[in-house]
Amino acid sequence: MNIDVCFSPALYPVYHNPEAIVVVVDVFRATTTMAAAFQNGISSIRPVASVEEAMEYKRKGWLVGAERNVKRCDFADFGNSPFDYTPEKVVGKDVIFTTTNGTKAITIAKSAYRVITGAFINLQAVADFCRKHGRDVVVLCSGWQDKVNIEDTLFGGALVDVLVATGEYEPATDAAIIARDMWMNNRDNLLTYIDPTDHMARLKANHLADSVPYCLTLNSAAIVPELTIEGGVLVLRTREY
């Protein structure tokens, strides 16, 4: 089987494989936040692409997590930090979720064979899910406003490394090799490597860098959020893998 890495949603049309598992990643912070929320007992997350959709759900009485340009939207109950979704706030709850990059990428990938979300905190669970289903894999990096970023590419490289090491997968293109090399060369000093990046600068400027060490922690959440379509609506729930 093959694994590939798409560095940006803008490139996804040339990577789309309707028979593949697509792993959407937004390390800082959407897919990390999703994994944390499910780990803390949330029932479902409904990703929507626009703030307007999220506001409409809010008017109907839904709980809403919403972020744009790293800042929590004024109308929202939650932002885009994994620390917002504590058990006492989310156990058994259904939450609408929109972010600058991650929920857009999920929406773009919705027609794939399977769409799941990945982050460093559920890396091994994602790898196990992919192996169980025995399909090609495409890692879709959410990036930043269609631009490539380092943190999502690193996750792609980490998943390539884990799956190739099983002997069941091989890199599909140069992109997968580039991502794996980036990961292998920097996995022992992730914080140092990521510190000068664009997104770190945004988080620091808005006093939101407190979640970065958590976002870079490996395998603290043994869950896999998977996208389903229920009543014509996109819904993320955890699935057995």
Side-chain angles (χ1 to χ4, degrees), residues 9-230:
L11 295 171
Y12 183 67
V14 298
Y15 285 85
H16 174 63
N17 175 353
E19 299 303 316
I21 297 168
V22 174
V23 182
V24 177
V25 56
D26 186 353
V27 170
F28 295 154
R29 294 160 293 164
T31 57
T32 303
T33 296
M34 291 174 185
F38 281 111
Q39 187 82 339
N40 288 336
I42 204 169
S43 177
S44 74
I45 294 174
R46 298 189 178 200
V48 298
S50 72
V51 169
E52 290 74 22
E53 289 175 272
M55 292 178 69
E56 182 60 28
Y57 274 105
K58 180 64 178 173
R59 284 191 286 268
K60 293 177 180 178
W62 286 75
L63 289 173
V64 172
E67 166 268 331
R68 282 298 182 273
N69 299 320
V70 310
K71 297 179 182 180
R72 175 176 166 175
C73 297
D74 291 342
F75 67 90
D77 302 286
F78 309 100
N80 187 22
S81 168
F83 302 147
D84 288 351
Y85 297 77
T86 57
E88 59 270 21
K89 293 180 180 178
V90 303
V91 167
K93 303 294 186 181
D94 301 298
V95 175
I96 306 300
F97 193 49
T98 187
T99 69
T100 307
N101 304 292
T103 54
K104 173 185 173 183
I106 291 169
T107 302
I108 288 170
K110 64 184 179 181
S111 63
Y113 168 74
R114 291 281 192 278
V115 179
I116 61 176
T117 65
F120 286 116
I121 68 169
N122 69 335
L123 172 65
Q124 188 59 55
V126 166
D128 292 343
F129 180 100
C130 294
R131 293 180 67 196
K132 177 181 177 179
H133 287 276
R135 297 279 182 141
D136 289 346
V137 175
V138 176
V139 179
L140 174 55
C141 300
S142 298
W144 177 262
Q145 297 180 352
D146 285 339
K147 297 176 183 176
V148 176
N149 69 20
I150 285 177
E151 62 272 14
D152 294 348
T153 305
L154 281 169
F155 170 85
L159 186 59
V160 171
D161 189 40
V162 172
L163 290 179
V164 169
T166 68
E168 300 168 13
Y169 285 83
E170 58 184 35
T173 68
D174 289 355
I177 295 170
I178 290 167
R180 183 178 59 174
D181 285 350
M182 183 185 293
W183 164 250
M184 294 180 70
N185 289 333
N186 298 284
R187 60 187 174 184
D188 295 328
N189 62 336
L190 289 178
L191 277 171
T192 301
Y193 183 59
I194 283 176
D195 190 64
T197 61
D198 290 344
H199 209 134
M200 276 296 295
R202 282 186 287 270
L203 293 173
K204 288 178 181 178
N206 289 278
H207 309 289
L208 294 170
D210 60 325
S211 64
V212 169
Y214 178 82
C215 292
L216 297 179
T217 300
L218 293 177
N219 302 323
S220 62
I223 52 89
V224 178
E226 182 179 359
L227 191 68
T228 61
I229 299 178
E230 301 175 11

